[in-house]
C-alpha cells in the first residue's frame, strides 16, 4: 500500500522532523507516515504522507492541540 494522502500543518523553527517524529512515536504510534528527507529551517509548514483518509483525519484530530 502506498502513501496516497497528504497532510500539511503549520510548524515553525528548526528540527521539524525530529520534533514531529518524537511526537508521533508518543501520541500516534498506530499511524504510519512518510516524511520528507529534510525540511528547510525557514519553512513554516510540514507536509507528511499517509496511507488512508481515515489516518489523515485521525492525525488531524490528534494534532489539533499538540505543541510542536
Amino acid at each position: 500500500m502506498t502513501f496516497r494522502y497528504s497532510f500539511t500543518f503549520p510548524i515553525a523553527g528548526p528540527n521539524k522532523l525530529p520534533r514531529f517524529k518524537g511526537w508521533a512515536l508518543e501520541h500516534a504510534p498506530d499511524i504510519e507516515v512518510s516524511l520528507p528527507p529534510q525540511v528547510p529551517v525557514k519553512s513554516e509548514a510540514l507536509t507528511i504522507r499517509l496511507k488512508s483518509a481515515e489516518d489523515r483525519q485521525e492525525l488531524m484530530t490528534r494534532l489539533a492541540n499538540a505543541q510542536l
Side-chain angles (χ1 to χ4, degrees):
M1 184 179 231
T2 60
F3 294 90
R4 297 180 183 218
Y5 298 86
S6 65
F7 175 56
T8 302
F9 62 96
I11 182 171
N15 302 318
K16 291 170 190 62
L17 292 175
R19 289 187 350 230
F20 176 78
K21 286 178 186 177
W23 178 89
L25 284 174
E26 185 177 338
H27 296 95
D30 55 325
I31 299 175
E32 287 187 63
V33 298
S34 175
L35 298 170
Q38 60 186 10
V39 179
V41 173
K42 293 182 180 180
S43 176
E44 303 253 339
L46 176 61
T47 299
I48 57 173
R49 308 280 296 163
L50 301 142
K51 290 190 173 187
S52 70
E54 293 80 19
D55 285 349
R56 183 181 185 276
Q57 184 61 42
E58 182 64 28
L59 190 64
M60 284 187 340
T61 302
R62 293 182 190 187
L63 275 171
N65 297 321
Q67 296 295 325
L68 294 173

